Amino acid sequence: MKLAMIGFGQAGGKIVDKFLEYDAETGSNIVRAAVAVNSAKADLMGLENIPQENRVLIGQSRVKGHGVGADNELGAEIAEEDIDEIQGSIDSIPVHEVDAFLVVAGLGGGTGSGGAPVIAKHLKRIYTEPVYGLGVLPGSDEGGIYTLNAARSFQTFVREVDNLLVFDNDSWRQTGESVQSGYDEINSEIVRRFGILFGAGEVREGQEVAESVVDSSEIINTLSGGGVSTVGFAEEEVEESSTGGLLSRFRGSEDTDTGDTAHTTNRITSLVRKATLGRLTLPCETEGTERALLVLAGPSKYLNRKGIERGRKWLEEQTGSMEVRGGDYPIDGSGRVSSVVLLAGVTNVPRIKELQQVAIEAQENIDEIRDESEDNLDNLVSDDSEELDSLF
Ligand code: GDP
């Protein structure tokens, strides 16, 4: 499907930038338009692929291009004040050619955390296309203020979008890496998963249209109904030769170019299980998921209807949902079969409850320290017997 992407704040901008890179590398054509919005000039300058004219600097009169310093209330305020400037950039998007909007932001900071729900609300008021959010939760080691920001933004963002797709940095962080190179890798992981998911509804040039191919409307229907979504992913390399499977036959592999061997079916069902039971973008209990979509991407000879049908059935049992869609996304020449599982409308998410609990504690702590610090400053500045008079 074709998306208009709006990256809000630093993380949002970088992730949308990465989606453009992915599109160029894979030819998947999912980003019909890309806009970056930020209150920090340096962050906008650091982007590589988003066109200059689509980079919008907001809040100049308030923060002079220096960002909002993790103050997401200020982030929301300046997004509201400068909504016309953001809209100016969105006006250049041929909205009749897009299937949906995707607003991307890190929820722990200031600009994206505060601004993403504001722009989502605005887009929903103006356009009939669905507005989805892609919200990134902070790592638990980032500290109280980031957790508090994320918890408040999450609550607001879910309300304002047609569906909030969540990625949790906490379950993806790797030790021993610099934050920057860590984020680069994490962003590639994000883009790979969501790239396959959204790419599925887009027929590539020269690609045969399989009968069971996933259509944009199936992605939209899975996401409709609102709530919070998470995505699972698994992949396996396969042999692809220009002689159409000759190599694997030669090697005695079960795979042939007919694509419906037991091996092909088993590979698909095992990839569906691995994707669902492995690391999700937002870890959660899969049982109780309202709707799900299964996408099998890869060379068409390695995709078969039987495997997808079995995977779909297994997913129905696993989630207890009666609304599980599935189909394929033929990508010849990729050299791998990938399975992406979208679990939409998940409700049993311990990580969110934990985030909220830590956020409440952080809020109480901040209030307490603020009260105490007023008293402490008072004690420090005024002399005990109040003999001194201020100048004015
Ligand atoms: P903003 O510019 O004020 O919106 O704030 P940032 O986007 O810099 O940071 C918000 C949060 O996003 C941070 O607390 C991190 O958890 C996360 N973050 C920042 N940069 C990246 C990134 O490149 N990738 C990912 N996945 N998360 C990021």
Side-chain angles (χ1 to χ4, degrees), residues 234 236 259 261-275 294-297 300-312 327-328 337-339:
E236 192 180 308
T261 60
H263 192 177
T264 299
T265 306
N266 289 344
R267 177 190 292 113
I268 293 175
T269 44
S270 109
L271 280 174
V272 173
R273 287 170 194 229
K274 273 191 206 158
L294 162 66
V295 176
L296 252 299
S300 25
K301 67 170 182 161
Y302 288 108
L303 306 176
N304 74 15
R305 189 188 279 270
K306 200 167 158 197
I308 293 175
E309 212 33 54
R310 276 206 201 155
R312 230 180 43 73
D328 38 75
V337 178
S338 316
S339 156

PDB file of all heavy atoms in Angstrom, residues 234 236 259 261-275 294-297 300-312 327-328 337-339:
ATOM      1  N   ALA A 234       9.951 -13.440  11.024  1.00  0.00           N
ATOM      2  CA  ALA A 234      10.961 -14.513  10.950  1.00  0.00           C
ATOM      3  C   ALA A 234      11.290 -14.738   9.490  1.00  0.00           C
ATOM      4  O   ALA A 234      10.441 -14.512   8.623  1.00  0.00           O
ATOM      5  CB  ALA A 234      10.418 -15.794  11.567  1.00  0.00           C
ATOM      6  N   GLU A 236      13.950 -17.066   6.483  1.00  0.00           N
ATOM      7  CA  GLU A 236      14.880 -18.152   6.220  1.00  0.00           C
ATOM      8  C   GLU A 236      15.417 -17.985   4.802  1.00  0.00           C
ATOM      9  O   GLU A 236      14.665 -17.651   3.880  1.00  0.00           O
ATOM     10  CB  GLU A 236      14.119 -19.471   6.339  1.00  0.00           C
ATOM     11  CG  GLU A 236      15.011 -20.679   6.380  1.00  0.00           C
ATOM     12  CD  GLU A 236      14.209 -21.971   6.501  1.00  0.00           C
ATOM     13  OE1 GLU A 236      13.356 -22.067   7.403  1.00  0.00           O
ATOM     14  OE2 GLU A 236      14.434 -22.862   5.676  1.00  0.00           O
ATOM     15  N   GLY A 259       6.751 -25.641  -6.222  1.00  0.00           N
ATOM     16  CA  GLY A 259       6.477 -24.849  -5.029  1.00  0.00           C
ATOM     17  C   GLY A 259       5.462 -25.455  -4.071  1.00  0.00           C
ATOM     18  O   GLY A 259       5.085 -24.832  -3.100  1.00  0.00           O
ATOM     19  N   THR A 261       5.699 -28.544  -2.422  1.00  0.00           N
ATOM     20  CA  THR A 261       6.179 -29.733  -1.738  1.00  0.00           C
ATOM     21  C   THR A 261       5.881 -29.609  -0.252  1.00  0.00           C
ATOM     22  O   THR A 261       5.603 -28.514   0.248  1.00  0.00           O
ATOM     23  CB  THR A 261       7.706 -29.862  -1.888  1.00  0.00           C
ATOM     24  OG1 THR A 261       8.265 -28.700  -1.322  1.00  0.00           O
ATOM     25  CG2 THR A 261       8.118 -30.011  -3.320  1.00  0.00           C
ATOM     26  N   ALA A 262       6.002 -30.734   0.416  1.00  0.00           N
ATOM     27  CA  ALA A 262       5.775 -30.726   1.860  1.00  0.00           C
ATOM     28  C   ALA A 262       6.792 -29.815   2.545  1.00  0.00           C
ATOM     29  O   ALA A 262       6.483 -29.135   3.516  1.00  0.00           O
ATOM     30  CB  ALA A 262       5.916 -32.149   2.379  1.00  0.00           C
ATOM     31  N   HIS A 263       7.988 -29.766   1.996  1.00  0.00           N
ATOM     32  CA  HIS A 263       9.040 -28.942   2.586  1.00  0.00           C
ATOM     33  C   HIS A 263       8.661 -27.453   2.564  1.00  0.00           C
ATOM     34  O   HIS A 263       8.828 -26.729   3.544  1.00  0.00           O
ATOM     35  CB  HIS A 263      10.339 -29.179   1.803  1.00  0.00           C
ATOM     36  CG  HIS A 263      11.543 -28.625   2.481  1.00  0.00           C
ATOM     37  ND1 HIS A 263      12.798 -28.781   1.993  1.00  0.00           N
ATOM     38  CD2 HIS A 263      11.679 -27.910   3.624  1.00  0.00           C
ATOM     39  CE1 HIS A 263      13.662 -28.193   2.794  1.00  0.00           C
ATOM     40  NE2 HIS A 263      12.993 -27.651   3.795  1.00  0.00           N
ATOM     41  N   THR A 264       8.145 -27.019   1.438  1.00  0.00           N
ATOM     42  CA  THR A 264       7.723 -25.610   1.307  1.00  0.00           C
ATOM     43  C   THR A 264       6.615 -25.291   2.309  1.00  0.00           C
ATOM     44  O   THR A 264       6.645 -24.255   2.991  1.00  0.00           O
ATOM     45  CB  THR A 264       7.245 -25.347  -0.133  1.00  0.00           C
ATOM     46  OG1 THR A 264       8.341 -25.600  -1.004  1.00  0.00           O
ATOM     47  CG2 THR A 264       6.779 -23.921  -0.322  1.00  0.00           C
ATOM     48  N   THR A 265       5.654 -26.198   2.429  1.00  0.00           N
ATOM     49  CA  THR A 265       4.544 -25.988   3.367  1.00  0.00           C
ATOM     50  C   THR A 265       5.054 -25.945   4.801  1.00  0.00           C
ATOM     51  O   THR A 265       4.691 -25.052   5.581  1.00  0.00           O
ATOM     52  CB  THR A 265       3.507 -27.130   3.221  1.00  0.00           C
ATOM     53  OG1 THR A 265       3.125 -27.205   1.855  1.00  0.00           O
ATOM     54  CG2 THR A 265       2.290 -26.888   4.093  1.00  0.00           C
ATOM     55  N   ASN A 266       5.920 -26.884   5.131  1.00  0.00           N
ATOM     56  CA  ASN A 266       6.441 -26.929   6.504  1.00  0.00           C
ATOM     57  C   ASN A 266       7.277 -25.701   6.837  1.00  0.00           C
ATOM     58  O   ASN A 266       7.238 -25.201   7.957  1.00  0.00           O
ATOM     59  CB  ASN A 266       7.303 -28.181   6.706  1.00  0.00           C
ATOM     60  CG  ASN A 266       6.444 -29.414   6.736  1.00  0.00           C
ATOM     61  OD1 ASN A 266       5.227 -29.321   6.900  1.00  0.00           O
ATOM     62  ND2 ASN A 266       7.060 -30.570   6.549  1.00  0.00           N
ATOM     63  N   ARG A 267       8.033 -25.235   5.851  1.00  0.00           N
ATOM     64  CA  ARG A 267       8.846 -24.046   6.088  1.00  0.00           C
ATOM     65  C   ARG A 267       7.935 -22.864   6.435  1.00  0.00           C
ATOM     66  O   ARG A 267       8.197 -22.118   7.378  1.00  0.00           O
ATOM     67  CB  ARG A 267       9.691 -23.705   4.858  1.00  0.00           C
ATOM     68  CG  ARG A 267      10.493 -22.413   5.075  1.00  0.00           C
ATOM     69  CD  ARG A 267      11.169 -21.898   3.823  1.00  0.00           C
ATOM     70  NE  ARG A 267      12.252 -22.763   3.367  1.00  0.00           N
ATOM     71  CZ  ARG A 267      12.219 -23.456   2.243  1.00  0.00           C
ATOM     72  NH1 ARG A 267      11.157 -23.377   1.441  1.00  0.00           N
ATOM     73  NH2 ARG A 267      13.228 -24.210   1.888  1.00  0.00           N
ATOM     74  N   ILE A 268       6.853 -22.732   5.680  1.00  0.00           N
ATOM     75  CA  ILE A 268       5.938 -21.610   5.916  1.00  0.00           C
ATOM     76  C   ILE A 268       5.308 -21.715   7.303  1.00  0.00           C
ATOM     77  O   ILE A 268       5.317 -20.749   8.068  1.00  0.00           O
ATOM     78  CB  ILE A 268       4.855 -21.544   4.811  1.00  0.00           C
ATOM     79  CG1 ILE A 268       5.516 -21.177   3.479  1.00  0.00           C
ATOM     80  CG2 ILE A 268       3.767 -20.542   5.172  1.00  0.00           C
ATOM     81  CD1 ILE A 268       4.585 -21.186   2.285  1.00  0.00           C
ATOM     82  N   THR A 269       4.794 -22.875   7.654  1.00  0.00           N
ATOM     83  CA  THR A 269       4.134 -22.975   8.966  1.00  0.00           C
ATOM     84  C   THR A 269       5.131 -22.738  10.096  1.00  0.00           C
ATOM     85  O   THR A 269       4.797 -22.091  11.083  1.00  0.00           O
ATOM     86  CB  THR A 269       3.413 -24.333   9.162  1.00  0.00           C
ATOM     87  OG1 THR A 269       4.281 -25.366   8.708  1.00  0.00           O
ATOM     88  CG2 THR A 269       2.137 -24.407   8.369  1.00  0.00           C
ATOM     89  N   SER A 270       6.358 -23.209   9.916  1.00  0.00           N
ATOM     90  CA  SER A 270       7.313 -22.986  11.003  1.00  0.00           C
ATOM     91  C   SER A 270       7.726 -21.514  11.080  1.00  0.00           C
ATOM     92  O   SER A 270       7.934 -20.976  12.170  1.00  0.00           O
ATOM     93  CB  SER A 270       8.484 -23.961  10.886  1.00  0.00           C
ATOM     94  OG  SER A 270       9.645 -23.301  10.491  1.00  0.00           O
ATOM     95  N   LEU A 271       7.784 -20.837   9.940  1.00  0.00           N
ATOM     96  CA  LEU A 271       8.106 -19.396   9.970  1.00  0.00           C
ATOM     97  C   LEU A 271       6.980 -18.589  10.641  1.00  0.00           C
ATOM     98  O   LEU A 271       7.235 -17.605  11.329  1.00  0.00           O
ATOM     99  CB  LEU A 271       8.347 -18.870   8.545  1.00  0.00           C
ATOM    100  CG  LEU A 271       9.731 -19.157   7.949  1.00  0.00           C
ATOM    101  CD1 LEU A 271       9.795 -18.734   6.489  1.00  0.00           C
ATOM    102  CD2 LEU A 271      10.829 -18.438   8.742  1.00  0.00           C
ATOM    103  N   VAL A 272       5.752 -19.021  10.438  1.00  0.00           N
ATOM    104  CA  VAL A 272       4.617 -18.318  11.068  1.00  0.00           C
ATOM    105  C   VAL A 272       4.700 -18.470  12.589  1.00  0.00           C
ATOM    106  O   VAL A 272       4.504 -17.511  13.342  1.00  0.00           O
ATOM    107  CB  VAL A 272       3.268 -18.868  10.532  1.00  0.00           C
ATOM    108  CG1 VAL A 272       2.097 -18.270  11.314  1.00  0.00           C
ATOM    109  CG2 VAL A 272       3.128 -18.581   9.048  1.00  0.00           C
ATOM    110  N   ARG A 273       5.028 -19.658  13.046  1.00  0.00           N
ATOM    111  CA  ARG A 273       5.152 -19.881  14.492  1.00  0.00           C
ATOM    112  C   ARG A 273       6.301 -19.075  15.077  1.00  0.00           C
ATOM    113  O   ARG A 273       6.165 -18.440  16.115  1.00  0.00           O
ATOM    114  CB  ARG A 273       5.400 -21.355  14.791  1.00  0.00           C
ATOM    115  CG  ARG A 273       4.191 -22.194  14.578  1.00  0.00           C
ATOM    116  CD  ARG A 273       4.538 -23.660  14.655  1.00  0.00           C
ATOM    117  NE  ARG A 273       3.445 -24.434  14.128  1.00  0.00           N
ATOM    118  CZ  ARG A 273       2.907 -25.473  14.749  1.00  0.00           C
ATOM    119  NH1 ARG A 273       3.372 -25.851  15.899  1.00  0.00           N
ATOM    120  NH2 ARG A 273       1.900 -26.119  14.209  1.00  0.00           N
ATOM    121  N   LYS A 274       7.438 -19.128  14.368  1.00  0.00           N
ATOM    122  CA  LYS A 274       8.610 -18.385  14.862  1.00  0.00           C
ATOM    123  C   LYS A 274       8.313 -16.903  14.957  1.00  0.00           C
ATOM    124  O   LYS A 274       8.698 -16.233  15.909  1.00  0.00           O
ATOM    125  CB  LYS A 274       9.789 -18.585  13.911  1.00  0.00           C
ATOM    126  CG  LYS A 274      10.606 -19.805  14.204  1.00  0.00           C
ATOM    127  CD  LYS A 274      11.899 -19.739  13.382  1.00  0.00           C
ATOM    128  CE  LYS A 274      12.448 -21.107  13.106  1.00  0.00           C
ATOM    129  NZ  LYS A 274      13.331 -21.144  11.945  1.00  0.00           N
ATOM    130  N   ALA A 275       7.632 -16.367  13.948  1.00  0.00           N
ATOM    131  CA  ALA A 275       7.329 -14.930  13.937  1.00  0.00           C
ATOM    132  C   ALA A 275       6.416 -14.563  15.100  1.00  0.00           C
ATOM    133  O   ALA A 275       6.609 -13.547  15.766  1.00  0.00           O
ATOM    134  CB  ALA A 275       6.680 -14.543  12.606  1.00  0.00           C
ATOM    135  N   LEU A 294      -1.391 -12.259   8.298  1.00  0.00           N
ATOM    136  CA  LEU A 294      -0.171 -13.011   8.074  1.00  0.00           C
ATOM    137  C   LEU A 294       0.301 -12.750   6.649  1.00  0.00           C
ATOM    138  O   LEU A 294      -0.477 -12.895   5.707  1.00  0.00           O
ATOM    139  CB  LEU A 294      -0.540 -14.483   8.269  1.00  0.00           C
ATOM    140  CG  LEU A 294       0.357 -15.550   7.719  1.00  0.00           C
ATOM    141  CD1 LEU A 294       1.678 -15.503   8.449  1.00  0.00           C
ATOM    142  CD2 LEU A 294      -0.318 -16.901   7.937  1.00  0.00           C
ATOM    143  N   VAL A 295       1.556 -12.317   6.513  1.00  0.00           N
ATOM    144  CA  VAL A 295       2.096 -12.054   5.177  1.00  0.00           C
ATOM    145  C   VAL A 295       3.318 -12.944   4.970  1.00  0.00           C
ATOM    146  O   VAL A 295       4.231 -12.948   5.792  1.00  0.00           O
ATOM    147  CB  VAL A 295       2.531 -10.575   5.024  1.00  0.00           C
ATOM    148  CG1 VAL A 295       3.176 -10.352   3.658  1.00  0.00           C
ATOM    149  CG2 VAL A 295       1.367  -9.622   5.224  1.00  0.00           C
ATOM    150  N   LEU A 296       3.324 -13.700   3.902  1.00  0.00           N
ATOM    151  CA  LEU A 296       4.482 -14.525   3.552  1.00  0.00           C
ATOM    152  C   LEU A 296       5.129 -13.914   2.330  1.00  0.00           C
ATOM    153  O   LEU A 296       4.507 -13.855   1.264  1.00  0.00           O
ATOM    154  CB  LEU A 296       4.013 -15.938   3.255  1.00  0.00           C
ATOM    155  CG  LEU A 296       4.354 -16.997   4.305  1.00  0.00           C
ATOM    156  CD1 LEU A 296       5.855 -17.122   4.487  1.00  0.00           C
ATOM    157  CD2 LEU A 296       3.722 -16.636   5.643  1.00  0.00           C
ATOM    158  N   ALA A 297       6.368 -13.425   2.503  1.00  0.00           N
ATOM    159  CA  ALA A 297       7.039 -12.757   1.391  1.00  0.00           C
ATOM    160  C   ALA A 297       8.199 -13.613   0.907  1.00  0.00           C
ATOM    161  O   ALA A 297       8.861 -14.290   1.704  1.00  0.00           O
ATOM    162  CB  ALA A 297       7.549 -11.399   1.850  1.00  0.00           C
ATOM    163  N   SER A 300       8.157 -16.547  -5.515  1.00  0.00           N
ATOM    164  CA  SER A 300       6.840 -17.186  -5.612  1.00  0.00           C
ATOM    165  C   SER A 300       6.896 -18.710  -5.566  1.00  0.00           C
ATOM    166  O   SER A 300       5.979 -19.334  -5.064  1.00  0.00           O
ATOM    167  CB  SER A 300       6.070 -16.691  -6.836  1.00  0.00           C
ATOM    168  OG  SER A 300       6.938 -16.240  -7.824  1.00  0.00           O
ATOM    169  N   LYS A 301       7.994 -19.278  -6.029  1.00  0.00           N
ATOM    170  CA  LYS A 301       8.023 -20.747  -6.008  1.00  0.00           C
ATOM    171  C   LYS A 301       8.179 -21.304  -4.594  1.00  0.00           C
ATOM    172  O   LYS A 301       8.011 -22.499  -4.386  1.00  0.00           O
ATOM    173  CB  LYS A 301       9.124 -21.262  -6.918  1.00  0.00           C
ATOM    174  CG  LYS A 301      10.501 -20.946  -6.441  1.00  0.00           C
ATOM    175  CD  LYS A 301      11.514 -21.700  -7.257  1.00  0.00           C
ATOM    176  CE  LYS A 301      12.900 -21.409  -6.720  1.00  0.00           C
ATOM    177  NZ  LYS A 301      13.843 -22.402  -7.139  1.00  0.00           N
ATOM    178  N   TYR A 302       8.512 -20.451  -3.646  1.00  0.00           N
ATOM    179  CA  TYR A 302       8.619 -20.908  -2.256  1.00  0.00           C
ATOM    180  C   TYR A 302       7.389 -20.548  -1.419  1.00  0.00           C
ATOM    181  O   TYR A 302       7.389 -20.688  -0.208  1.00  0.00           O
ATOM    182  CB  TYR A 302       9.877 -20.337  -1.598  1.00  0.00           C
ATOM    183  CG  TYR A 302      11.144 -20.986  -2.113  1.00  0.00           C
ATOM    184  CD1 TYR A 302      12.023 -20.302  -2.939  1.00  0.00           C
ATOM    185  CD2 TYR A 302      11.446 -22.301  -1.764  1.00  0.00           C
ATOM    186  CE1 TYR A 302      13.181 -20.902  -3.412  1.00  0.00           C
ATOM    187  CE2 TYR A 302      12.591 -22.916  -2.231  1.00  0.00           C
ATOM    188  CZ  TYR A 302      13.456 -22.217  -3.055  1.00  0.00           C
ATOM    189  OH  TYR A 302      14.594 -22.821  -3.518  1.00  0.00           O
ATOM    190  N   LEU A 303       6.375 -20.013  -2.083  1.00  0.00           N
ATOM    191  CA  LEU A 303       5.151 -19.680  -1.360  1.00  0.00           C
ATOM    192  C   LEU A 303       4.067 -20.640  -1.838  1.00  0.00           C
ATOM    193  O   LEU A 303       3.968 -20.893  -3.033  1.00  0.00           O
ATOM    194  CB  LEU A 303       4.720 -18.241  -1.668  1.00  0.00           C
ATOM    195  CG  LEU A 303       5.775 -17.158  -1.430  1.00  0.00           C
ATOM    196  CD1 LEU A 303       5.245 -15.798  -1.875  1.00  0.00           C
ATOM    197  CD2 LEU A 303       6.177 -17.107   0.035  1.00  0.00           C
ATOM    198  N   ASN A 304       3.286 -21.140  -0.938  1.00  0.00           N
ATOM    199  CA  ASN A 304       2.135 -21.919  -1.396  1.00  0.00           C
ATOM    200  C   ASN A 304       0.930 -21.712  -0.488  1.00  0.00           C
ATOM    201  O   ASN A 304       1.043 -21.355   0.675  1.00  0.00           O
ATOM    202  CB  ASN A 304       2.480 -23.388  -1.635  1.00  0.00           C
ATOM    203  CG  ASN A 304       2.658 -24.159  -0.346  1.00  0.00           C
ATOM    204  OD1 ASN A 304       2.272 -23.693   0.722  1.00  0.00           O
ATOM    205  ND2 ASN A 304       3.235 -25.338  -0.441  1.00  0.00           N
ATOM    206  N   ARG A 305      -0.196 -21.932  -1.102  1.00  0.00           N
ATOM    207  CA  ARG A 305      -1.453 -21.652  -0.434  1.00  0.00           C
ATOM    208  C   ARG A 305      -1.663 -22.554   0.786  1.00  0.00           C
ATOM    209  O   ARG A 305      -2.182 -22.103   1.812  1.00  0.00           O
ATOM    210  CB  ARG A 305      -2.578 -21.861  -1.445  1.00  0.00           C
ATOM    211  CG  ARG A 305      -3.931 -21.391  -0.956  1.00  0.00           C
ATOM    212  CD  ARG A 305      -4.984 -21.810  -1.938  1.00  0.00           C
ATOM    213  NE  ARG A 305      -5.056 -20.903  -3.062  1.00  0.00           N
ATOM    214  CZ  ARG A 305      -5.848 -19.845  -3.080  1.00  0.00           C
ATOM    215  NH1 ARG A 305      -6.615 -19.576  -2.063  1.00  0.00           N
ATOM    216  NH2 ARG A 305      -5.881 -19.043  -4.123  1.00  0.00           N
ATOM    217  N   LYS A 306      -1.211 -23.781   0.649  1.00  0.00           N
ATOM    218  CA  LYS A 306      -1.424 -24.735   1.735  1.00  0.00           C
ATOM    219  C   LYS A 306      -0.693 -24.281   3.009  1.00  0.00           C
ATOM    220  O   LYS A 306      -1.232 -24.325   4.109  1.00  0.00           O
ATOM    221  CB  LYS A 306      -0.915 -26.106   1.302  1.00  0.00           C
ATOM    222  CG  LYS A 306      -1.481 -27.239   2.103  1.00  0.00           C
ATOM    223  CD  LYS A 306      -1.170 -28.532   1.386  1.00  0.00           C
ATOM    224  CE  LYS A 306      -1.218 -29.705   2.329  1.00  0.00           C
ATOM    225  NZ  LYS A 306      -0.546 -30.863   1.755  1.00  0.00           N
ATOM    226  N   GLY A 307       0.539 -23.814   2.825  1.00  0.00           N
ATOM    227  CA  GLY A 307       1.329 -23.367   3.967  1.00  0.00           C
ATOM    228  C   GLY A 307       0.673 -22.165   4.637  1.00  0.00           C
ATOM    229  O   GLY A 307       0.564 -22.100   5.874  1.00  0.00           O
ATOM    230  N   ILE A 308       0.238 -21.228   3.830  1.00  0.00           N
ATOM    231  CA  ILE A 308      -0.379 -20.021   4.381  1.00  0.00           C
ATOM    232  C   ILE A 308      -1.691 -20.384   5.085  1.00  0.00           C
ATOM    233  O   ILE A 308      -1.984 -19.877   6.172  1.00  0.00           O
ATOM    234  CB  ILE A 308      -0.592 -18.976   3.262  1.00  0.00           C
ATOM    235  CG1 ILE A 308       0.787 -18.502   2.772  1.00  0.00           C
ATOM    236  CG2 ILE A 308      -1.423 -17.796   3.760  1.00  0.00           C
ATOM    237  CD1 ILE A 308       0.770 -17.581   1.601  1.00  0.00           C
ATOM    238  N   GLU A 309      -2.433 -21.297   4.496  1.00  0.00           N
ATOM    239  CA  GLU A 309      -3.702 -21.726   5.089  1.00  0.00           C
ATOM    240  C   GLU A 309      -3.454 -22.367   6.460  1.00  0.00           C
ATOM    241  O   GLU A 309      -4.135 -22.060   7.434  1.00  0.00           O
ATOM    242  CB  GLU A 309      -4.384 -22.701   4.115  1.00  0.00           C
ATOM    243  CG  GLU A 309      -5.887 -22.673   4.121  1.00  0.00           C
ATOM    244  CD  GLU A 309      -6.489 -21.304   4.406  1.00  0.00           C
ATOM    245  OE1 GLU A 309      -6.157 -20.304   3.729  1.00  0.00           O
ATOM    246  OE2 GLU A 309      -7.277 -21.238   5.358  1.00  0.00           O
ATOM    247  N   ARG A 310      -2.435 -23.198   6.518  1.00  0.00           N
ATOM    248  CA  ARG A 310      -2.107 -23.852   7.796  1.00  0.00           C
ATOM    249  C   ARG A 310      -1.635 -22.840   8.825  1.00  0.00           C
ATOM    250  O   ARG A 310      -1.987 -22.900   9.994  1.00  0.00           O
ATOM    251  CB  ARG A 310      -0.990 -24.873   7.587  1.00  0.00           C
ATOM    252  CG  ARG A 310      -1.499 -26.168   7.115  1.00  0.00           C
ATOM    253  CD  ARG A 310      -0.497 -27.225   7.567  1.00  0.00           C
ATOM    254  NE  ARG A 310      -0.646 -28.404   6.762  1.00  0.00           N
ATOM    255  CZ  ARG A 310       0.324 -29.282   6.557  1.00  0.00           C
ATOM    256  NH1 ARG A 310       1.518 -29.065   7.070  1.00  0.00           N
ATOM    257  NH2 ARG A 310       0.125 -30.341   5.832  1.00  0.00           N
ATOM    258  N   GLY A 311      -0.798 -21.902   8.360  1.00  0.00           N
ATOM    259  CA  GLY A 311      -0.302 -20.845   9.247  1.00  0.00           C
ATOM    260  C   GLY A 311      -1.459 -20.012   9.802  1.00  0.00           C
ATOM    261  O   GLY A 311      -1.500 -19.661  10.984  1.00  0.00           O
ATOM    262  N   ARG A 312      -2.395 -19.749   8.945  1.00  0.00           N
ATOM    263  CA  ARG A 312      -3.561 -18.937   9.325  1.00  0.00           C
ATOM    264  C   ARG A 312      -4.378 -19.658  10.407  1.00  0.00           C
ATOM    265  O   ARG A 312      -4.784 -19.082  11.396  1.00  0.00           O
ATOM    266  CB  ARG A 312      -4.426 -18.711   8.080  1.00  0.00           C
ATOM    267  CG  ARG A 312      -4.833 -17.267   7.823  1.00  0.00           C
ATOM    268  CD  ARG A 312      -5.691 -17.155   6.580  1.00  0.00           C
ATOM    269  NE  ARG A 312      -6.706 -18.202   6.490  1.00  0.00           N
ATOM    270  CZ  ARG A 312      -7.802 -18.255   7.232  1.00  0.00           C
ATOM    271  NH1 ARG A 312      -8.055 -17.312   8.104  1.00  0.00           N
ATOM    272  NH2 ARG A 312      -8.646 -19.243   7.089  1.00  0.00           N
ATOM    273  N   GLY A 327      -1.948 -14.000   3.312  1.00  0.00           N
ATOM    274  CA  GLY A 327      -1.719 -14.054   1.875  1.00  0.00           C
ATOM    275  C   GLY A 327      -0.250 -13.930   1.582  1.00  0.00           C
ATOM    276  O   GLY A 327       0.572 -13.843   2.502  1.00  0.00           O
ATOM    277  N   ASP A 328       0.072 -13.918   0.282  1.00  0.00           N
ATOM    278  CA  ASP A 328       1.487 -13.799  -0.020  1.00  0.00           C
ATOM    279  C   ASP A 328       1.866 -12.487  -0.697  1.00  0.00           C
ATOM    280  O   ASP A 328       1.016 -11.708  -1.139  1.00  0.00           O
ATOM    281  CB  ASP A 328       2.048 -14.989  -0.785  1.00  0.00           C
ATOM    282  CG  ASP A 328       1.116 -15.555  -1.816  1.00  0.00           C
ATOM    283  OD1 ASP A 328       0.951 -14.935  -2.881  1.00  0.00           O
ATOM    284  OD2 ASP A 328       0.548 -16.601  -1.525  1.00  0.00           O
ATOM    285  N   VAL A 337      12.671 -16.396   2.386  1.00  0.00           N
ATOM    286  CA  VAL A 337      11.226 -16.386   2.650  1.00  0.00           C
ATOM    287  C   VAL A 337      11.039 -15.734   4.019  1.00  0.00           C
ATOM    288  O   VAL A 337      11.688 -16.115   4.987  1.00  0.00           O
ATOM    289  CB  VAL A 337      10.648 -17.822   2.663  1.00  0.00           C
ATOM    290  CG1 VAL A 337       9.168 -17.794   2.998  1.00  0.00           C
ATOM    291  CG2 VAL A 337      10.865 -18.482   1.309  1.00  0.00           C
ATOM    292  N   SER A 338      10.194 -14.713   4.074  1.00  0.00           N
ATOM    293  CA  SER A 338       9.970 -13.993   5.329  1.00  0.00           C
ATOM    294  C   SER A 338       8.500 -14.088   5.720  1.00  0.00           C
ATOM    295  O   SER A 338       7.623 -14.049   4.865  1.00  0.00           O
ATOM    296  CB  SER A 338      10.315 -12.509   5.193  1.00  0.00           C
ATOM    297  OG  SER A 338      11.518 -12.341   4.494  1.00  0.00           O
ATOM    298  N   SER A 339       8.298 -14.172   7.015  1.00  0.00           N
ATOM    299  CA  SER A 339       6.932 -14.208   7.518  1.00  0.00           C
ATOM    300  C   SER A 339       6.735 -13.011   8.443  1.00  0.00           C
ATOM    301  O   SER A 339       7.514 -12.785   9.363  1.00  0.00           O
ATOM    302  CB  SER A 339       6.748 -15.516   8.289  1.00  0.00           C
ATOM    303  OG  SER A 339       5.727 -15.396   9.222  1.00  0.00           O
TER     304      SER A 339
END
